[in-house]
């Protein structure tokens, strides 16, 4: 029995070494990296991997520590896109440029340096103007929710959740991540 | 020892891996490095399709930018061809190698279910039907999430409230199809626990539960329960229990495994309604008290019903009408009574309106109140609003219109009260427009903007017009690409109110420019064909009107079932991509149909020595068309249309044109046919003109002859405006006369000399068309002028010029339900070019002179028979048989039409719809055919009146007309052999309006 185990250990070691050499050699050559891809389409608007990365890296969406972080951020972005589309229809109060500036500052302070902030923007494929636009949309969603769900705090979140569930039902959504990531 | 060496090997392996991993770059490492290569890989194979390559923004040699990667993905995905787009990058010596992996859209060809399916209430066929009814037979794989949610909801309705579905797709590389598989774990099924009935149902508990199919232990299916409750309540309503209600509430227990139901049952009383007091017709009472229709007898509805009755009566002049209702309930019966009290009827003795700056005549016709008519407060309010509006439009912003109603002494019985209505107008100050000021505009000059405004300096100031002008400015900007423009306006009225100096403040916002045009869904149609119709190109402002007009033009190509233009947001905020998504229509079209045609025709009879008689014939007709559109992807098309009509074998239209008398046989044979092939080039030589090539083979039956014709032609047509079009063309044809009925002695010399004739001619026509419907217009005009010239110099055997003019007008009679007055006038004039014709006798033998030479008649100007004008029939002058109308010179001695060189037709018709599918018409037709243009004599016009029936069909009306000659003249024929032997009449059964 011991012999068998010892032989087995020898086989594992040789095999692992062979595989590692092969993989290592492969990795040393040109290794393709997924730069970006489509994860979902909500009402015709694309949500890409870079959107998920941007939301996470810029601190716009904070995933929990358990489960699949991409799944969690993506679900939140899908819900956000549903809300943006709905909010566009009702045109709530337009946030002032000062309010948008304040939101940009909050995001900026999450980074130790301007370089780090710029690097995340570049990695995400968005510029400052696009970030401002995104934050403006977030503010409009907030205004809309405050207008529409100005009810007691204990019921507010439940009503919002029901509203979003309704949006999910009636908005064509293609969740490509659901079908295998 | 062996074990130690194996562990060392594993450690070395990990070390190797650890050292290899850093070779994998982070995304940030690629950015800014030059793009060395860009590969597009479609389903595992490289593609260089220009449609894909040209929308990729990451170009070789440029530094890699994530913004351009995202842009490229957006473009590629927007094409609608791909289910997913993934971009991979790898380091190579020259920089970054990019690979766009394009996954084509996979349509679901099959849906499969796995898991625990052998449980009650789950039927995979049923689940499949739910999916296909919502998403069609082949949804994209990407909709799997939606499909999954739909299925979960369906299972919930079957009682499986905690079902878990896991979708996965098996993709096929060969067919771009996929199998969508749902693994279903239905979980426990919720069953009904306790059932409590609150209230007093009119049936026993057991019967109620039986009707609703409820019982402890049965599955809880909410949709099914709701449907059964609705059905039960409806049945109660139908029996007059309008207040019957069953309201279920449910509470769940045992982790939703058990549903405890409470049914609140309100049986309600049996309801009956009565209108008592002053008489009110039963149907009016039922209409105004909609208890039965609404299935309710609640207090709000009864209150509304009382108000409706009162408003109805007040509209008839009963100002003091009341109709209070009472409810009396006893022994399960609810009697609702409306006590109708009309009171006296008020009638307008006089309507006085104070004099003002605007003459009463300017708005009198718009007033509802009329002297001697019943007085109605609602009409008075409407008239006050009308007068106010008229004054405000003239600049009297503060006008006040005050009505007073003064009842006079009533009549003896007190049932009628005359009233004097006085409308006093206090005009106030008139405001005129002073200066129009515009600020904030930088892209459009103020002068240009002012030109587009309705309000102009010196004109009356009307505030709603100010808002219209504000909208006009905003629209002008939107059409220039300023989609977020805002325009504010303040009236700027002076303190004394005499002048308004409106100020328009414009915030232009960013101007949107078109970046890319993406075309998706075109499989057979070339992108060029679509792009040609676009009213904007990359770099142009994204104008609203240009986008809308582009969509209209692409739709008008007729190649697509649907056309959608979507503006896609861009990383650059001032740029948009325009995605054109088309769904192509089937390239091959096939049409066929059949019907009956009936008309009165001229035939020769043996009984009366071979003179003309008339016979009503009904003939089956059929057509078949097949077309192929979008040839070569250029919207060219080719069509073949055929039609044929069958006539009884014993019809006199064959052979000798003699009506059979006895011993005839039944059955049908081909009589008329037409085969026409057409090739259409929509943009001839890349112009806006349409080119047509046609080839025709046909046989026609006329009254005094039949003809067989073959011809080819070419036409160029150009639509100048929406209503004006021009056409020019050339045609060459050979016509052979068959079965000529006219005695040769009566025939013009040209017909005896040319039983076959080749005609080569040019033609031109123009038309002006504002009709709302070509087949059954109710408004609009149609004018057309046609000219044709045939000459021996261009290969014709006979030369002539021929022209025809037509004018039609259609008007809907105001305040009617689409009663249409229709008028039509036609004028045809022709003359032949003089030519020498050898003279023949009645048998066709040459007529010789004294020297034995054939006599030649010089200067003959007649047209060949098939080209002459004829009248009489269902589309010219009804009341006369086909072609049977003519002066003495255009009808042979035997009564057969010879035709003439001039034609005059007038038609008038009133078209009255009775039902949505049926209408009647009354008409008067007049006209005649003359030998020469100089012979036209309006005093010789023949007229007919009549009526008809129109049965509407989706492709136009079916028409039955009876026409009656208004006078009789020598040679007119009475109908000899028909059950419709109404002297001097003709009947027609055909398709489409007469004109």
């Amino acid at each position: 029995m011991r012999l068998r185990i010892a032989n087995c250990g020898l086989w594992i070691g040789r095999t692992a070494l062979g595989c590692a050499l092969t993989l290592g050699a492969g990795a040393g050559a040109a290794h393709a990296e997924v730069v970006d891809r489509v994860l979902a389409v909500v009402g015709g608007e694309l949500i890409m991997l870079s959107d998920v990365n941007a939301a996470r890296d810029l601190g716009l969406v904070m995933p929990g520590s358990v489960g699949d972080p991409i799944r969690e951020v993506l679900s939140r972005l899908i819900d956000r896109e549903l809300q943006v589309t709905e909010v566009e229809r009702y045109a709530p109060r337009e946030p002032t440029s000062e309010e948008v500036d304040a939101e940009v500052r909050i995001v900026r302070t999450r980074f130790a340096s301007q370089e780090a902030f710029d690097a995340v923007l570049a990695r995400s494929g968005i510029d400052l103007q696009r970030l401002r636009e995104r934050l403006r949309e977030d503010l409009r969603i907030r205004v809309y929710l405050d207008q529409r769900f100005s009810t007691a705090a204990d019921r507010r979140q439940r009503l919002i959740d029901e509203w979003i569930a309704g949006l999910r039902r009636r908005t064509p959504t293609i969740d490509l991540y659901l079908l295998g990531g | 020892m062996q074990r130690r060496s194996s562990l060392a090997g594993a450690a070395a392996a990990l070390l190797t891996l650890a050292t290899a991993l850093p070779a994998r770059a982070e995304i940030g490492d690629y950015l800014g490095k030059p793009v060395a290569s860009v590969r597009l890989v479609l389903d595992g194979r490289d593609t260089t399709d220009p449609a894909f390559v040209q929308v990729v923004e990451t170009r070789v040699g440029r530094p890699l930018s994530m913004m351009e990667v995202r842009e490229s993905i957006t473009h590629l995905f927007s094409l609608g061809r791909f289910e997913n787009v993934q971009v991979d990058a790898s380091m190579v010596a020259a920089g970054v190698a990019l690979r766009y992996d394009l996954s084509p859209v996979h349509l679901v060809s099959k849906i499969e279910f796995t898991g625990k399916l052998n449980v009650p209430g789950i039927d995979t066929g049923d689940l499949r039907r739910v999916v296909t009814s919502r998403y069609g037979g082949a949804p994209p794989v990407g909709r799997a999430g939606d499909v999954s949610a739909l299925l979960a909801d369906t299972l919930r309705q079957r009682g499986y409230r905690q079902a878990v579905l896991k979708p996965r797709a098996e993709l096929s590389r060969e067919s771009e199809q996929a199998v969508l598989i749902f693994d279903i774990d239905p979980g426990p099924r919720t069953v009904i626990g306790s059932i409590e009935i609150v209230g007093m149902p009119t049936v026993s508990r057991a019967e109620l539960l039986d009707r609703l199919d409820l019982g402890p232990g049965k599955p809880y299916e909410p949709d099914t329960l709701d449907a059964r409750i609705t059905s039960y309540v409806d049945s109660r309503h139908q029996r007059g229990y309008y207040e019957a209600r069953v309201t279920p509430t449910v509470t769940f227990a045992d982790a939703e495994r058990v549903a405890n139901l409470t049914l609140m049952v309100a049986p309600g009383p049996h309801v009956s309604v009565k209108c008592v007091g002053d008489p009110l017709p039963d149907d009016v009472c039922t209409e105004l008290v909609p208890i039965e229709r609404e299935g309710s007898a609640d207090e709000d509805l009864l209150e509304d019903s009382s108000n409706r009755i009162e408003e109805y009566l007040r509209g008839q002049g009963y100002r003091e009408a009341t109709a209070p209702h009472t409810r009396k309930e006893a022994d399960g019966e609810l009697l609702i009574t409306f006590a109708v009290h009309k009171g006296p009827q008020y009638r307008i003795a006089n309507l006085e309106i104070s004099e003002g700056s605007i003459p009463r005549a300017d708005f009198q016709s718009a007033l509802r109140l009329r002297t001697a008519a019943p007085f109605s407060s609602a009409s008075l309010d409407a008239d006050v609003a009308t007068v106010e509006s008229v004054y405000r439009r003239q600049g009297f912003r503060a006008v006040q219109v005050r009505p007073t109603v003064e009842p006079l002494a009533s009549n003896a019985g007190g049932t009628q009260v005359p009233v004097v209505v006085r409308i006093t107008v206090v005009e106030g100050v008139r405001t005129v427009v002073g200066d129009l000021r515009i600020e904030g505009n930088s892209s459009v000059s103020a002068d240009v903007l002012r030109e587009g405004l309705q309000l102009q300096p010196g004109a009356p100031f009307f505030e709603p017009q100010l808002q219209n002008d504000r909208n006009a400015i905003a629209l002008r900007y939107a059409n220039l690409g300023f989609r977020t423009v805002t325009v504010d306006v303040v009236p700027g009225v002076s303190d004394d109110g005499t002048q308004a100096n409106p100020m328009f403040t414009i915030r232009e916002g960013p101007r949107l420019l078109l970046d890319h045009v993406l075309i998706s869904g075109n499989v057979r149609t070339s992108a060029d064909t679509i792009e040609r119709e676009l009213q904007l190109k990359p770099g142009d402002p994204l104008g609203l009107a240009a986008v809308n007009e582009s969509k209209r033009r692409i739709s008008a190509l007729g190649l697509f079932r649907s056309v959608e233009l979507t503006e896609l947001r861009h990383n650059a905020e001032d740029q948009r991509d325009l995605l054109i998504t088309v769904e192509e229509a089937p390239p091959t079209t096939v049409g066929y149909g059949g019907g009956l045609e009936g008309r009165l025709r001229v035939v020769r009879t043996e009984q009366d020595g071979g003179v003309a008689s008339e016979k009503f014939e009904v003939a089956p007709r059929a057509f078949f068309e097949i077309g192929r559109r979008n040839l070569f992807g250029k919207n060219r098309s080719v069509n073949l249309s055929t039609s044929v009509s069958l006539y009884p074998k014993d019809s006199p239209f064959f052979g000798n044109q003699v009506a059979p008398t006895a011993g005839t046989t039944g059955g049908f044979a081909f009589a008329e046919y037409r085969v026409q092939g057409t090739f259409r080039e929509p943009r001839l030589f890349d112009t806006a003109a349409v080119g047509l090539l046609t080839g025709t083979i046909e046989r026609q039956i006329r009254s005094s002859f039949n003809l067989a014709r073959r011809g080819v032609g070419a036409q160029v047509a150009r639509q100048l405006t929406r209503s004006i079009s021009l056409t020019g063309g050339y045609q060459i044809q050979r016509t052979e006369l068959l079965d000529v009925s006219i005695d040769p002695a009566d025939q013009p010399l040209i017909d005896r000399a040319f039983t076959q004739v080749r005609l080569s001619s040019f033609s031109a026509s123009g038309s002006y068309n504002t009709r709302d419907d070509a087949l059954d217009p109710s408004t609009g005009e149609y004018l057309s002028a046609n000219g044709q010239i045939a000459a021996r110099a261009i290969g014709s055997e006979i030369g002539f010029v021929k022209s025809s003019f037509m004018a039609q007008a259609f008007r809907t009679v105001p305040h009617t339900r689409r009663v249409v007055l229709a008028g039509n006038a036609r004028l045809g004039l022709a003359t032949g070019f003089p030519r020498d014709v050898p003279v023949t006798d009645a048998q066709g033998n040459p007529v010789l002179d004294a020297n034995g030479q054939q006599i030649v008649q010089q200067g003959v100007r007649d047209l060949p028979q098939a080209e002459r004008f004829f009248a009489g029939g269902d589309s010219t002058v009804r009341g006369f048989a086909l072609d049977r109308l003519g002066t003495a010179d255009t009808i042979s001695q035997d009564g057969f039409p010879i035709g003439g060189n001039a034609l005059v037709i007038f038609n008038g018709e009133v078209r009255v719809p009775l039902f949505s599918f049926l209408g009647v018409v009354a008409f008067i037709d007049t006209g005649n055919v003359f030998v020469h243009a100089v012979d036209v004599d309006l005093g010789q016009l023949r007229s007919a009146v009549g009526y008809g029936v129109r049965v509407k069909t989706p492709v136009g009306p079916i028409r039955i007309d009876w026409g009656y000659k208004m006078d009789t003249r020598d040679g007119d024929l009475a109908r000899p052999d028909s059950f419709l032997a109404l002297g001097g009449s003709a009947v027609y059964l055909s398709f489409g309006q007469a004109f």
Side-chain angles (χ1 to χ4, degrees), chain B residues 642-808:
Chain B
T642 62
S643 63
V644 63
S645 61
L646 303 175
Y647 279 86
K649 284 179 179 170
D650 55 6
S651 167
F653 309 132
F654 302 99
N656 57 10
Q657 283 284 111
V658 173
T661 52
T664 55
T665 57
F668 288 89
F670 288 109
E672 286 187 319
Y673 61 80
R674 180 182 172 88
V675 180
Q676 185 172 54
T678 308
F679 172 77
R680 182 175 181 274
E681 165 63 62
R683 294 182 69 88
L684 192 63
F685 305 124
D686 214 20
T687 67
V690 176
L692 290 166
L693 286 176
T694 56
T696 308
I697 301 173
E698 65 179 328
R699 178 186 160 113
Q700 285 183 25
I701 291 179
R702 305 297 300 185
S703 288
S704 50
F705 62 94
N706 299 335
L707 65 84
R709 181 182 281 155
R710 286 168 295 164
V712 294
Q715 275 191 326
V716 178
R718 174 82 192 268
Q719 192 82 29
L720 295 182
T721 68
R722 284 198 175 193
S723 53
I724 298 174
S725 63
L726 295 177
T727 305
Y730 169 80
Q731 49 277 324
I732 184 165
Q733 61 190 35
R734 172 164 288 279
T735 305
E736 181 181 2
L737 296 185
L738 308 166
D739 311 324
V740 177
S741 300
I742 304 172
D743 191 317
D746 290 341
Q747 277 189 303
L749 183 58
I750 198 89
D751 295 346
R752 294 205 299 270
F754 292 97
T755 55
Q756 289 190 39
V757 62
R758 181 183 67 245
L759 295 177
S760 171
S761 63
F762 285 100
S763 62
S765 65
S767 68
Y768 170 77
N769 182 10
T770 60
R771 293 172 300 179
D772 58 341
D773 182 346
L775 289 178
D776 190 11
S778 60
T779 183
E781 287 90 32
Y782 179 77
L783 304 173
S784 73
N786 298 278
Q788 182 184 9
I789 180 167
R792 278 180 284 171
I794 55 171
S796 191
E797 290 178 332
I798 297 176
F800 61 85
V801 289
K802 187 176 174 183
S803 59
S804 60
F805 306 90
M806 181 182 292
Q808 298 178 344

Side-chain angles (χ1 to χ4, degrees), chain B residues 398-731:
Chain B
V399 65
Q400 293 185 353
V401 181
R402 299 182 189 126
T404 56
V405 180
E406 182 187 333
L408 303 178
S410 61
N411 64 1
T415 56
Q416 298 272 332
V417 179
V419 295
V420 175
V421 178
R422 294 190 180 87
I423 295 178
T424 307
V425 180
V426 181
E427 294 181 344
V429 177
R430 188 180 194 211
T431 311
V432 295
V433 178
D435 189 22
L436 284 167
R437 291 168 298 162
I438 298 173
E439 65 176 25
N441 57 310
S442 59
S443 302
V444 186
S445 76
D447 287 342
V448 171
L449 290 174
R450 280 194 196 96
E451 279 173 16
L453 303 181
Q454 292 293 314
L455 288 179
Q456 292 294 333
F461 176 73
F462 181 49
E463 194 132 358
Q465 187 56 53
L466 192 64
Q467 297 307 318
N468 291 343
D469 284 346
R470 187 192 72 84
N471 294 341
I473 292 176
L475 182 61
R476 178 183 280 268
Y477 269 94
N479 288 339
L480 292 170
F482 296 93
R483 296 295 189 80
T484 56
V485 65
T486 59
V487 183
D488 295 323
V489 61
V490 289
V493 179
S494 62
D495 292 342
D496 61 2
T498 57
Q499 199 174 61
N501 300 302
M503 164 74 88
F504 295 91
T505 305
I506 300 168
R507 290 180 197 85
E508 293 183 342
R511 187 178 206 178
L512 297 185
L513 302 177
L514 176 61
D515 190 20
H516 287 92
V517 174
L518 309 172
I519 299 175
S520 169
N522 56 320
V523 179
R524 290 178 297 273
T525 312
S526 75
D528 288 350
T529 301
I530 296 171
E531 284 171 353
R532 235 170 15 208
E533 305 303 325
L534 286 177
Q535 300 300 294
L536 65 181
K537 58 182 184 305
D540 283 354
L542 196 61
L544 194 63
V547 172
N548 291 338
E549 178 63 10
S550 299
K551 181 177 181 181
R552 191 193 68 75
R553 285 175 177 245
I554 295 169
S555 300
L557 288 173
L559 300 175
F560 309 114
R561 274 187 182 143
S562 68
V563 176
E564 287 296 327
L565 269 64
T566 312
E567 294 168 19
L568 301 177
R569 278 192 279 179
H570 220 276
N571 271 337
E573 284 302 304
D574 60 346
Q575 292 189 329
R576 295 283 187 275
D577 291 336
L578 188 64
L579 172 64
I580 302 168
T581 309
V582 296
E583 184 187 352
E584 291 183 337
T588 302
T589 57
V590 176
Y592 52 86
L596 289 176
E597 180 188 56
R599 54 186 174 181
L600 195 63
R601 316 184 76 120
V602 180
V603 298
R604 184 182 292 276
T605 57
E606 288 180 333
Q607 294 95 324
D608 300 323
V611 297
S613 181
E614 293 177 356
K615 182 177 173 64
F616 182 75
E617 287 265 352
V618 175
R621 294 185 70 90
F623 73 90
F624 175 80
E625 292 178 351
I626 184 166
R628 181 86 181 173
R629 56 187 160 196
N630 203 13
L631 292 178
F632 320 118
K634 301 288 186 186
N635 198 18
R636 296 174 180 128
S637 59
V638 61
N639 287 281
L640 178 71
S641 64
T642 62
S643 63
V644 63
S645 61
L646 303 175
Y647 279 86
K649 284 179 179 170
D650 55 6
S651 167
F653 309 132
F654 302 99
N656 57 10
Q657 283 284 111
V658 173
T661 52
T664 55
T665 57
F668 288 89
F670 288 109
E672 286 187 319
Y673 61 80
R674 180 182 172 88
V675 180
Q676 185 172 54
T678 308
F679 172 77
R680 182 175 181 274
E681 165 63 62
R683 294 182 69 88
L684 192 63
F685 305 124
D686 214 20
T687 67
V690 176
L692 290 166
L693 286 176
T694 56
T696 308
I697 301 173
E698 65 179 328
R699 178 186 160 113
Q700 285 183 25
I701 291 179
R702 305 297 300 185
S703 288
S704 50
F705 62 94
N706 299 335
L707 65 84
R709 181 182 281 155
R710 286 168 295 164
V712 294
Q715 275 191 326
V716 178
R718 174 82 192 268
Q719 192 82 29
L720 295 182
T721 68
R722 284 198 175 193
S723 53
I724 298 174
S725 63
L726 295 177
T727 305
Y730 169 80
Q731 49 277 324

Side-chain angles (χ1 to χ4, degrees), chain A residues 9 33 35-36 50-51 173-174, chain B residues 6 25 70 87-89 142 146 569:
Chain A
E33 196 82 38
V35 174
D36 208 352
S50 54
D51 289 312
T173 301
I174 299 174
Chain B
S6 67
R70 286 172 56 88
V87 184
D88 296 342
D146 293 342
R569 278 192 279 179

Side-chain angles (χ1 to χ4, degrees), chain B residues 152-168:
Chain B
D153 190 49
T154 305
L155 291 173
R156 204 165 12 255
Q157 297 301 335
R158 304 283 188 277
Y160 295 98
R161 300 180 59 79
Q162 296 164 44
V164 176
L165 290 96
K166 289 180 183 163
R168 65 190 164 87

